[in-house]
Amino acid sequence: MNVTAVAPFAVVWVGITALILLVSRDWRVSITALGAQYVGIFIFVALVWPVEYAVVKLITGWISAAILGMGLVDSAEAWEDQLGGWVSGTLFRFFIAGFVGFVAFALTPSVARWVLRASEVQIMAGLLLIGLGLFHLGLTAQPVRIIIGLLTVLSGFEIFYATMETSLLVNAMLAVVTLGLALTGSYFNAAGLEGGT
Amino acid sequence: MSTPILWIVVPGVIAFVLIFLLRRRTISMIVAILTALILSGLAWWLEVGEVITFGPWAFKIQEQLTVAGRSFVISNLDRPQVALFYIVLAFWFIGALGISTPPLFIPLGLASVAIWIAALAVQPILYAALLIEVAVLLSVLMLTPIGKSVNRGVLRFLTYQTLGVPFILLAGWFLSGIEVEAGNTQDIVRAAIFLGFGFAFHLGIFPLHGWIPMLTETAHPYVTAFVISTMISIGVLFPVGFMQRYPSLYEEIDLLDIFRFLGILMVLVGGAWAAFQRHLGRILGFAMILETGRTFLTIGLPEGDQMLFALYIPRILALGVWAFSLSNLKAHSEDLRFHAVQGLGRKYPIIGAGLVLAQFSLVGIPLLGGFPTYLILWEQSAVYGVWISLGAVLGSAGLLIGGLRSLAVLVMGPEEVSGPQDDRGRIFSNIIILLGVSAMFIIGIFPQWFVPALTSISGTFGSLTP
């Protein structure tokens, strides 16, 4: 597979998945979008790494999504959040996503001067994920959504970082952090359920 | 056998085993206390690199452990710090005998200190950021007991700590570039900016300090005090370590000036906010912000490395007694807002006294543990301008107001409260508080017994002055 050819489409792909994470009210849709997001991340990492190493990001992301999903199966109500009215809340989030997209597009040339080894599509995707992840964090107080926001921000960072640091140990430890965050999110659900508070 | 195996892997394995003993709390605590004490003792006495004979066996302790091409190094120079970290851990665990703590506190507390030490020992230093994040994840589990919903303070704590990781990793990457191409000014400035943001998130530097009072307000006071004081005490060594390793940071930017400015800013913020709080837990949080400020101020002073460790024991002692008293108070009044704790000082006089005296110790009131070292800090900071010293004293004054308000609330109830009803558990707690308060007085009255030993601990951190 020629990953360079599909990279521009992957920018749109991660943008859509991050947008779904922002607006979705169904945990199943969100977990699926999180898993799909890691396909995009895999493509961007595979641009600079051998595919057999890049696939670690994909597998880690999918396992994280699965861990979070399993935690939510028994506590779907934990997903409920104050998203506002259906139309107004969704429109607001679309507007924010558009704004972040615009900022990511505008900032790409400046960031490219810092991160010399990254291509424009990688920078744009990284900025898009970091921006939407941060907005996600700012718009929610629900534990699992916060974990998803953090995972999104870290994913964006990992795209940049893969172009800078090729050490397998660092990236293995980043994978440990990703899995640790997912386990923590799952623990939050379990801890709350145990006492029913 | 190597030092990282002894002081990182062994406690990690013991912590793992202790997870299976959660239902046997006393056994678990005794094992953890003994482990911490033995590890501290070994760090104090065991000479690295020398042949040790034990009956028919003879072995040599190596200072380095290599994992996947990266090394963990704990040398003879680091041993005093390791000894100090483990003895302080034993102190926290002994305190936990007198209160009810979340079950995971003991195993994960031991594991998190081992990971913090791993983060200090790892080379290259950029790996430390990821180890710190692992320690943070363990802390989050400690702060969220099974059966209780996660509170917003913990979520804010996790968010800020995780957002700090990318900045430190990026700083590490830029700094490794500086090693290859010396004198690259742009990269030095970028590294310093990223490093600054990273540690601002990690250590709760103003204006990113909001998670600290939120955490002390909502989570278990004792566990929170342990987590945050460990972060302040060990976490602050990382920016110092970066500066030591990359002296070019000094050449381009006057970092000591920045440390002094940040220090005084945080002392003022912590003190000012502590004066106006109406929640006992939040006052503790702002006192910790003030302590972070004092630590930064100390780093910015000549011979700050020595002062850094001299501040350590009085701070930990005061925070420990304060958090212990607060946890006892919380056992009697779930709500720690002023209106809910009115008069509880009359009902539980020793708990109330412990809480207020610990605050006064952190203020720097004469005869209490904090006074000798804070006095030196105020004197030395005056060298850089009266306004710095004045700011440091004003911060303490703010905390003093907070302490006096706490005292007033605890003794002036709206109506008479019934007298003390001591039970066996409370007597044990009271003994621990009395021991802690006595220790604060002993350190305050006889600082010459402690300060010289603590100032010699700086070890590898050497002089901070370029």
Side-chain angles (χ1 to χ4, degrees):
Chain A
M1 183 176 68
N2 183 0
V3 285
T4 314
V6 295
F9 301 103
V11 178
V12 180
W13 179 257
V14 294
I16 290 171
T17 55
L19 180 62
I20 291 171
L21 287 174
L22 203 61
V23 299
S24 164
R25 293 170 187 242
D26 185 330
W27 68 269
R28 282 160 293 209
V29 173
S30 290
I31 295 297
T32 309
L34 184 67
Q37 188 167 280
Y38 279 99
V39 176
I41 292 154
F42 158 73
I43 291 169
F44 292 118
V45 174
L47 287 174
V48 283
W49 282 15
V51 172
E52 58 269 31
Y53 293 155
V55 83
V56 172
K57 300 273 182 205
L58 181 66
I59 292 169
T60 309
W62 281 356
I63 293 173
S64 302
I67 291 169
L68 284 174
M70 281 191 292
L72 284 165
V73 167
D74 290 331
S75 58
E77 69 279 5
W79 183 253
E80 296 299 322
D81 199 4
Q82 302 287 327
L83 288 178
W86 174 250
V87 177
S88 59
T90 308
L91 272 180
F92 174 67
R93 283 167 166 74
F94 267 106
F95 173 76
I96 281 177
F99 176 72
V100 170
F102 174 74
V103 171
F105 182 73
L107 280 180
T108 299
S110 317
V111 178
R113 287 199 290 272
W114 283 36
V115 193
L116 296 173
R117 280 177 249 173
S119 65
E120 287 205 343
V121 284
Q122 285 171 312
I123 293 169
M124 202 181 296
L127 289 175
L128 204 57
L129 287 175
I130 291 172
L132 288 173
L134 285 175
F135 268 111
H136 202 160
L137 288 171
L139 291 174
T140 185
Q142 203 277 332
V144 182
R145 280 185 181 271
I146 285 181
I147 296 290
I148 288 177
L150 288 173
L151 287 174
T152 306
V153 173
L154 275 185
S155 302
F157 167 72
E158 283 185 49
I159 294 174
F160 287 129
Y161 202 58
T163 66
M164 300 171 170
E165 181 65 58
T166 49
S167 158
L168 282 180
L169 188 62
V170 171
N171 288 288
M173 288 177 73
L174 273 170
V176 169
V177 168
T178 302
L179 288 173
L181 279 171
L183 283 168
T184 307
S186 196
Y187 175 82
F188 285 161
N189 276 335
L193 271 182
E194 191 84 12
T197 47
Chain B
M1 179 65 107
S2 64
T3 49
I5 288 181
L6 187 59
W7 288 304
I8 298 168
V9 178
V10 169
V13 171
I14 293 173
F16 182 73
V17 172
L18 290 180
I19 290 176
F20 298 98
L21 295 174
L22 289 183
R23 290 183 190 280
R24 298 174 186 275
R25 188 168 183 265
T26 312
I27 296 174
S28 166
M29 283 179 137
I30 290 168
V31 171
I33 290 167
L34 286 176
T35 305
L37 287 175
I38 290 168
L39 289 173
S40 177
L42 286 174
W44 204 258
W45 286 295
L46 204 63
E47 280 292 328
V48 180
E50 285 188 7
V51 177
I52 296 162
T53 49
F54 192 74
W57 296 285
F59 57 94
K60 194 167 150 185
I61 304 276
Q62 306 289 339
E63 66 173 21
Q64 184 172 329
L65 173 71
T66 305
V67 180
R70 268 66 190 172
S71 15
F72 292 84
V73 181
I74 300 177
S75 68
N76 272 324
L77 287 170
D78 304 313
R79 282 192 300 116
Q81 293 164 31
V82 174
L84 191 64
F85 297 148
Y86 276 114
I87 196 92
V88 167
L89 179 66
F91 162 80
W92 285 104
F93 284 167
I94 290 169
L97 286 167
I99 46 170
S100 166
T101 51
L104 285 172
F105 172 58
I106 297 295
L108 297 189
L110 182 59
S112 69
V113 168
I115 293 171
W116 275 107
I117 290 173
L120 278 175
V122 72
Q123 289 177 356
I125 201 167
L126 79 98
Y127 289 85
L130 295 163
L131 287 166
I132 293 172
E133 177 68 7
V134 174
V136 165
L137 290 174
L138 295 184
S139 304
V140 166
L141 301 188
M142 270 191 269
L143 291 162
T144 311
I146 291 282
K148 289 196 175 172
S149 297
V150 57
N151 64 59
R152 60 197 170 93
V154 174
L155 288 172
R156 188 70 67 91
F157 166 67
L158 175 64
T159 304
Y160 275 48
Q161 297 301 315
T162 307
L163 291 181
V165 171
F167 287 107
I168 298 177
L169 286 173
L170 286 174
W173 184 78
F174 279 116
L175 286 170
S176 59
I178 294 166
E179 276 182 340
V180 177
E181 189 189 344
N184 187 338
T185 314
Q186 271 195 336
D187 275 359
I188 292 170
V189 174
R190 284 170 187 168
I193 291 170
F194 282 124
L195 204 57
F197 273 110
F199 285 106
F201 275 108
H202 272 307
L203 298 171
I205 294 171
F206 180 83
L208 301 172
H209 64 286
W211 60 269
I212 297 178
M214 204 181 266
L215 200 59
T216 51
E217 181 185 359
T218 51
H220 192 289
Y222 197 74
V223 181
T224 308
F226 166 76
V227 169
I228 299 178
S229 67
T230 306
M231 290 193 74
I232 297 172
S233 306
I234 307 182
V236 81
L237 299 178
F238 289 100
V240 177
F242 268 103
M243 289 194 305
Q244 297 276 315
R245 188 169 167 80
Y246 303 101
S248 42
L249 282 171
Y250 280 116
E251 290 155 14
E252 294 299 326
I253 308 159
D254 193 346
L255 282 177
L256 295 185
D257 253 355
I258 293 173
F259 272 117
R260 280 193 293 272
F261 172 74
L262 281 178
I264 211 65
L265 184 69
M266 291 190 67
V267 165
L268 285 171
V269 167
W273 263 254
F276 298 107
Q277 295 307 308
R278 292 176 163 271
H279 188 285
L280 292 177
R282 287 183 68 84
I283 297 177
L284 174 65
F286 282 106
M288 288 180 182
I289 292 169
L290 189 148
E291 273 304 307
T292 312
R294 276 184 185 142
T295 308
F296 277 115
L297 185 58
T298 309
I299 294 172
L301 297 176
E303 298 177 359
D305 54 321
Q306 296 178 10
M307 280 286 294
L308 203 60
F309 287 95
L311 286 169
Y312 191 69
I313 291 293
R315 176 205 302 149
I316 294 293
L317 188 60
L319 286 177
V321 172
W322 187 344
F324 184 85
S325 306
L326 209 54
S327 300
N328 271 294
L329 211 57
K330 201 171 184 178
H332 302 292
S333 164
E334 188 55 33
D335 190 353
L336 290 176
R337 279 177 289 184
F338 276 2
H339 67 81
V341 296
Q342 280 183 354
L344 284 184
R346 292 207 305 274
K347 193 171 180 183
Y348 309 110
I350 295 178
I351 294 173
L355 195 143
V356 173
L357 284 171
Q359 291 192 50
F360 287 168
S361 177
L362 284 178
V363 168
I365 296 285
L367 299 185
L368 286 168
F371 174 69
T373 42
Y374 296 155
L375 188 65
I376 300 170
L377 179 65
W378 294 332
E379 274 180 353
Q380 289 203 358
S381 55
V383 173
Y384 290 90
V386 176
W387 67 272
I388 295 185
S389 199
L390 191 66
V393 174
L394 277 177
S396 283
L399 186 58
L400 176 65
I401 294 170
L404 291 172
R405 290 179 73 219
S406 305
L407 175 64
V409 166
L410 287 171
V411 298
M412 293 194 305
E415 57 194 45
E416 282 302 311
V417 290
S418 55
Q421 300 161 346
D422 280 335
D423 50 42
R424 190 179 293 268
R426 179 119 43 79
I427 290 170
F428 186 64
S429 298
N430 288 346
I431 289 170
I432 290 184
I433 292 173
L434 287 173
L435 284 174
V437 169
S438 308
M440 285 194 295
F441 275 110
I442 290 170
I443 293 178
I445 296 169
F446 306 106
Q448 68 274 20
W449 293 353
F450 305 94
V451 174
L454 289 169
T455 51
S456 64
I457 285 179
S458 49
T460 46
F461 291 95
S463 172
L464 301 177
T465 317

